Amino acid sequence: MSRIDELIQELCPDGVRFLTIGEAATVTAGATPSKSVASYWTNGTIPWLSSGEVNKGTIHEADTLITQEGYDSCSTRMVPAGAVVIALAGQGKTRGMVARTRLECCTNQSLASVVPDSDELDSDFLFYFLRTQYARLRDVSSGDGTRGGLNLSMIRAYRIPVPPLEVQREIVRVLDKFTQLEAELEAELEARRVQYEHYRRELLSGGEGASGRIIPLGEIFEMRAGTHIKAAEISDEPTEEKPYPCYGGNGLRGYVSSYNYDESVIFVGRQGALCGNVHRAEGKIYATEHAVVVTPKVAVDMSWAFHKLTEMDLNQYKTKSAQPGLAVGRVKQVEAQYVPIVDQRRHGEVLDKLDTLVSDISIGLPAELGARREQYEHYRDRLLTFKELTS
């Protein structure tokens, strides 16, 4: 039996009280100084939060500082460190997300600030509980699910469990430990990504990578646009009738009934702001006209080629127009170091291993991080599920 189970058995064996947020805390919203008055925003000293900052989870500093003049010009108000903020509105997934503050600050009108009124409710406990309520908070939003919004009345009426304070604090201690371990894994993964980028640059651009001769890509690779296919002919999942992967400029698009390549190929996106994206595939596949299809013209290790083209940042060669694009002829003219095939194979093998370590969600650090998050969410949901006291 865990310490939390022991505390529940001792302090609240028959269930816990449920209160509305409004019964346990003060709920307020902020405001936004006029964006047209520069003196409200220039050389500010007062932390001011916008709804997008809930993505930080724990907020130690604000992205924006307003001036005292800006603060006095509107109805925003200061809230203490240790508040819980809830996104009332926001693009995409923001609405219903929560964060906790570690600084005194004010907010815009799209954030509700929740400050417990007494020692009965630990604000960090409230933060963790409301993180489990994301879907439900969005469900109670007004509107059609995409344009709706929460309001202060909805927040105040939302019911929450209020177990004994000792139980709340032990739950916070456990979940803070999980959060810290996850942050350490994320930091290690980011360090590995930086290491990977360093080795890729060293192998492909400097050091050994500079030992080859410089020639146009068109002398190393065959490059041609793929073939148009109607969107209606592409299915989201593979079927018996449509078993072949279909690739466009941004990678896998779906599955189709025929293929136009049966070999190891590389795709370079050729349309849109993100053109220059590099992907690879093997076997029977279909390539659309949105990708430049790259195959070897001379002795080429395709793993080396994939990393080489990725490192070159082909997006820089796109046209400067309203609809940017990569012309196949232009890409062929771009020059690159071509090293002996034995070096290509060695470099490709090293970089594939590093790429797998930082990218493959089935092994390595991404897999460990995914497993840790899954474990955390399981324990969090279990720890924050309470039987309501009936009498």
Side-chain angles (χ1 to χ4, degrees):
M1 180 180 292
S2 71
R3 174 62 177 157
I4 294 172
D5 291 330
E6 292 174 354
L7 288 171
I8 290 175
Q9 186 63 34
E10 176 187 349
L11 301 175
C12 49
D14 299 322
V16 305
R17 289 187 306 152
F18 275 63
L19 299 174
T20 65
I21 290 178
E23 291 174 319
T26 298
V27 183
T28 59
T32 302
S34 173
K35 293 291 183 72
S36 63
V37 181
S39 61
Y40 294 169
W41 303 91
T42 304
N43 299 321
T45 59
I46 301 172
W48 179 85
L49 305 180
S50 62
S51 58
E53 293 187 68
V54 292
N55 290 288
K56 297 176 181 177
T58 301
I59 303 173
H60 293 278
E61 60 182 7
D63 292 342
T64 304
L65 301 175
I66 61 174
T67 63
Q68 185 65 50
E69 183 185 1
Y71 178 83
D72 294 337
S73 73
C74 64
S75 60
T76 191
R77 64 187 70 185
M78 299 301 293
V79 294
V84 174
V85 290
I86 306 171
L88 302 174
Q91 296 297 320
K93 299 179 179 179
T94 301
R95 189 179 76 255
M97 292 183 67
V98 300
R100 54 183 173 178
T101 67
R102 290 294 185 258
L103 76 169
E104 186 180 15
C105 60
C106 58
T107 76
N108 73 2
Q109 65 278 5
S110 295
L111 284 175
S113 299
V114 183
V115 180
D117 288 329
S118 71
D119 290 339
E120 287 188 290
L121 179 61
D122 183 281
S123 63
D124 285 343
F125 171 82
L126 177 63
F127 160 72
Y128 280 119
F129 176 75
L130 290 177
R131 289 192 95 178
T132 71
Q133 303 298 295
Y134 174 72
R136 293 180 184 178
L137 285 168
R138 290 179 71 87
D139 285 343
V140 302
S141 300
S142 60
D144 60 8
T146 57
R147 303 173 71 177
L150 291 162
N151 58 46
L152 298 189
S153 296
M154 294 172 184
I155 299 298
R156 292 185 181 115
Y158 201 84
R159 300 181 76 245
I160 58 171
V162 186
L165 196 59
E166 195 173 354
V167 173
Q168 295 181 45
R169 288 174 175 167
E170 180 62 15
I171 289 173
V172 169
R173 186 190 68 80
V174 171
L175 294 180
D176 274 350
K177 184 64 175 177
F178 269 105
T179 300
Q180 178 185 350
L181 292 173
E182 182 178 319
E184 290 172 356
L185 271 178
E186 288 177 336
E188 183 178 355
L189 180 57
E190 180 58 28
R192 293 291 180 88
R193 288 190 174 120
V194 171
Q195 181 186 43
Y196 165 54
E197 294 295 328
H198 168 77
Y199 276 114
R200 188 173 69 183
R201 286 193 300 270
E202 179 65 19
L203 288 176
L204 299 176
S205 300
E208 295 181 50
S211 63
R213 55 198 177 93
I214 299 178
I215 57 177
L217 289 176
E219 293 184 19
I220 306 172
F221 303 109
E222 293 286 354
M223 293 182 167
R224 60 178 67 89
T227 306
H228 173 73
I229 189 170
K230 295 180 180 178
E233 298 179 37
I234 305 174
S235 65
D236 293 334
E237 300 293 336
T239 64
E240 187 174 343
E241 293 78 18
K242 297 181 178 180
Y244 303 113
C246 175
Y247 291 87
N250 291 315
L252 184 66
R253 287 189 58 190
Y255 298 85
V256 294
S257 59
S258 61
Y259 59 91
N260 53 6
Y261 287 90
D262 185 8
E263 57 187 303
S264 179
V265 297
I266 293 171
F267 309 103
V268 179
R270 60 185 294 257
Q271 291 184 346
L274 297 179
C275 63
N277 287 339
V278 181
H279 304 274
R280 56 179 165 177
E282 291 189 8
K284 296 176 179 178
I285 58 94
Y286 193 98
T288 75
E289 79 280 11
H290 298 296
V292 178
V293 184
V294 180
T295 54
K297 181 180 286 187
V298 293
V300 172
D301 178 86
M302 292 300 278
S303 287
W304 171 85
F306 167 75
H307 295 291
K308 182 69 176 177
L309 292 173
T310 300
E311 170 64 19
M312 292 177 66
D313 184 22
L314 296 174
N315 180 267
Q316 65 183 299
Y317 303 108
K318 66 179 181 291
T319 57
K320 311 296 184 183
S321 60
Q323 180 62 27
L326 277 180
V328 176
R330 175 70 182 96
V331 178
K332 287 182 178 181
Q333 295 172 3
V334 176
E335 294 185 331
Q337 291 276 357
Y338 174 73
V339 300
I341 187 67
V342 63
D343 292 331
Q344 293 181 32
R345 288 171 180 155
R346 180 159 51 85
H347 298 168
E349 182 179 359
V350 170
L351 293 171
D352 273 353
K353 288 179 179 178
L354 287 170
D355 187 42
T356 296
L357 182 64
V358 300
S359 303
D360 195 322
I361 62 172
S362 63
I363 63 173
L365 287 173
E368 185 177 354
L369 183 58
R372 183 64 56 82
R373 283 176 174 156
E374 185 175 340
Q375 182 187 39
Y376 162 75
E377 290 176 1
H378 168 77
Y379 279 107
R380 183 195 65 188
D381 292 349
R382 186 174 71 83
L383 291 176
L384 294 169
T385 300
F386 297 94
K387 179 175 70 174
E388 184 171 3
L389 188 63
T390 57
S391 60

